[in-house]
Amino acid sequence: MAKRPPTIPDSELDVLKVLWDRGQATVREALETLRSAGRQWSYATVATLLDRLESKGLVTSDRRELAFIYKPVISNQEVRQKRVTNLVDKLYQGEPGLLVLHLLKSHPLDAEQAREVRAVLDQMVGEKSRKKEK
Amino acid sequence: MAKRPPTIPDSELDVLKVLWDRGQATVREALETLRSAGRQWSYATVATLLDRLESKGLVTSDRRELAFIYKPVISNQEVRQKRVTNLVDKLYQGEPGLLVLHLLKSHPLDAEQAREVRAVLDQMVGEKSRKKEK
DNA sequence: CCTATCCTAAGACAAATGTCTCATAACGTC
DNA sequence: GACGTTATGAGACATTTGTCTTAGGATAGG
């Protein structure tokens, strides 16, 4: 029985996001933030989630005075990376292009972002045609 | 206690994909397909997954002769849509542009796809500046 | 009719997820 | 030094996910 690799469930992700936003937080601080963001959790729930994140090695805790202070170990970027890759693999036959196309069609960008995207595209093609002249 | 809305776990998604690919399948057919795709499941596992998909209303079954024939009710498109929206909301502040940018940087497209993307972009901007002249 | 097959039904069972309750330790204040 | 506040620890408990076992019905050949 292969043990399942650790995942980040939605609830834990919400907590993790708080840590990303503030850099670090105690259980109570995280709770406050989550409360004002609409999450109706009890103190214990947040504590449990932080605990689980820690056992997965995604955050560290450091006891300062009264309470534990939690900090993220994994970055927003890393999580994004994993999720996106997973999505592309599972639903877009590993073809990131399909996802990009889909995104553009179903979630239109504003002009500013369109410009940025174009810029990145240009650069990409440029590199390719210049065959890494460096 | 608000009952959680039904989700589609990974294992069920794999089965659903088989239905999308072949249009329909019996348990055994799905099993075969999954086997050749590397999944080492028992017959019962596949049966359970199809059963769960059915109770979630995502597939229907229709008894023909010997076995049940399962067909997808939800489309690939719908699932993609949900997943993408969720991803954008959860990890990209609801900004699809951020995800597009990220995708282009981390998963480069080939020239062909780059062209397509550019076309879609052009059309998007075009519509905007022309103010739906139609 | 008997047996080998294939099918479904029913449910088992461990791990993960979503949430919480309660006991208990430490702190600050009168 | 007893009291209320806040923190942690331990674990409860229902649901979902991942996967399988086993019993029993229908079917196909001999």
Side-chain angles (χ1 to χ4, degrees), chain A residues 81-95:
Chain A
Q81 187 65 40
K82 279 203 218 305
R83 295 266 171 143
V84 170
T85 299
N86 187 273
L87 181 65
V88 169
D89 287 350
K90 294 278 183 189
L91 287 175
Y92 292 89
Q93 292 105 53
E95 296 278 1

Side-chain angles (χ1 to χ4, degrees), chain A:
Chain A
M1 304 274 141
K3 216 170 225 18
R4 312 181 219 176
T7 59
I8 308 182
D10 280 358
S11 52
E12 287 170 24
L13 185 57
D14 282 349
V15 175
L16 198 48
K17 282 198 283 189
V18 172
L19 298 191
W20 288 332
D21 283 355
R22 340 166 89 245
Q24 58 173 51
T26 62
V27 174
R28 185 153 301 278
E29 290 167 345
L31 176 63
E32 299 303 335
T33 304
L34 288 162
R35 280 265 169 79
S36 45
R39 283 299 214 158
Q40 292 304 121
W41 276 331
S42 82
Y43 183 98
T45 300
V46 178
T48 298
L49 294 176
L50 279 167
D51 212 60
R52 288 181 182 167
L53 280 168
E54 185 165 24
S55 33
K56 292 177 185 177
L58 304 178
V59 313
T60 37
S61 65
D62 168 34
R63 185 156 215 159
R64 282 262 150 245
E65 294 157 31
L66 254 286
F68 278 111
I69 294 183
Y70 293 86
K71 292 183 187 181
V73 165
I74 193 171
S75 74
N76 192 330
Q77 274 312 308
E78 289 170 275
V79 174
R80 281 177 168 174
Q81 187 65 40
K82 279 203 218 305
R83 295 266 171 143
V84 170
T85 299
N86 187 273
L87 181 65
V88 169
D89 287 350
K90 294 278 183 189
L91 287 175
Y92 292 89
Q93 292 105 53
E95 296 278 1
L98 291 183
L99 173 50
V100 173
L101 258 351
H102 177 176
L103 266 168
L104 294 181
K105 285 178 192 157
S106 63
H107 304 69
L109 310 186
D110 59 40
E112 171 54 21
Q113 286 181 322
R115 208 174 354 265
E116 281 185 66
V117 170
R118 205 183 297 271
V120 173
L121 264 183
D122 287 343
Q123 193 187 325
M124 215 165 64
V125 174
E127 265 162 27
K128 188 157 273 174
S129 64
R130 269 185 269 111
K131 295 208 159 86
K132 47 170 88 159
E133 64 182 22
K134 179 88 176 281

Side-chain angles (χ1 to χ4, degrees), chain A residues 80 109 113, chain B residues 91-103:
Chain A
R80 281 177 168 174
L109 310 186
Q113 286 181 322
Chain B
L91 287 175
Y92 293 89
Q93 293 105 55
E95 297 278 1
L98 291 183
L99 173 50
V100 173
L101 257 354
H102 177 176
L103 267 168

Side-chain angles (χ1 to χ4, degrees), chain B residues 4 26-28 43-44 48 51-52 63 66-68 70:
Chain B
R4 313 179 219 174
T26 62
V27 174
R28 185 153 300 277
Y43 183 99
T48 298
D51 211 60
R52 289 182 182 165
R63 186 157 214 157
L66 253 286
F68 277 111
Y70 292 87

